[in-house]
Amino acid sequence: MLCLFSCTTVNPVVGFTPQTIAAPEIQNPYFSDPTIDYVYKLDILVNKRTMSGILVIKKIRQGTHRILCTSQFGSTLFDIEIHPTGTTVHYIFEALDKKIILRTLIQDFSLLTEEITVPHATYTNDTDQVLQATKDKQDTYYFYKQPTGVLYTIKQLTRRKEKLEIQFHKIAASKSDSITITHHNFPLRMELNTLTP
């Protein structure tokens, strides 16, 4: 087979040992408490343009999250509700109202807030356990630090090419005070840093 483009593939579990699936489901504890309004300073870098705002993520019922972002002056940038049957876009700022940007934001926040997923493979090494799930022809890998079981990275691949990486930092009591969302196939990066009242 002749490849004119880069045909390198990524395997995020090189050096890991496949295991019998021990966990019946993948659990993402972040954004799962309906009594908490998760408030972050959000910095978005898209197409070399930077936007900042205040991001609020709220679980409003099982499987449903409302994600609202306002500028630091109070103007709404986007207001999206993610629920089990799809997504409702309540508002999107004109500069972000591009099909690919909106779709990407929805996919990112859906993955970020999805609480339970069913794995089909699990891998371990000396320090980590990785659970793999597949949905819509995309493989998603959840990295948990052992022995604490803390979820610290989510990687999403399409045809073995890394597409997206979510990293959780400053983790305590099922809350991550700093999150980075990095795309490898699209010029979009988001940084979330918690705001304390």
Side-chain angles (χ1 to χ4, degrees), residues 44-51 95-96 101 186-189:
I44 302 175
L45 177 62
V46 58
N47 292 325
K48 298 182 180 179
R49 182 177 175 183
T50 302
M51 283 182 272
L96 296 172
I101 294 174
F186 183 68
L188 173 63
R189 177 181 169 86

Side-chain angles (χ1 to χ4, degrees), residues 5-47:
F5 303 100
S6 173
C7 291
T8 58
T9 59
V10 175
N11 183 356
V13 289
V14 169
F16 285 76
T17 303
Q19 302 289 325
T20 302
I21 296 177
E25 58 190 21
I26 298 167
Q27 293 196 354
N28 176 356
Y30 309 117
F31 311 108
S32 62
D33 188 339
T35 66
I36 297 175
D37 291 347
Y38 298 91
V39 183
Y40 292 87
K41 180 182 183 292
L42 173 66
D43 293 303
I44 302 175
L45 177 62
V46 58
N47 292 325

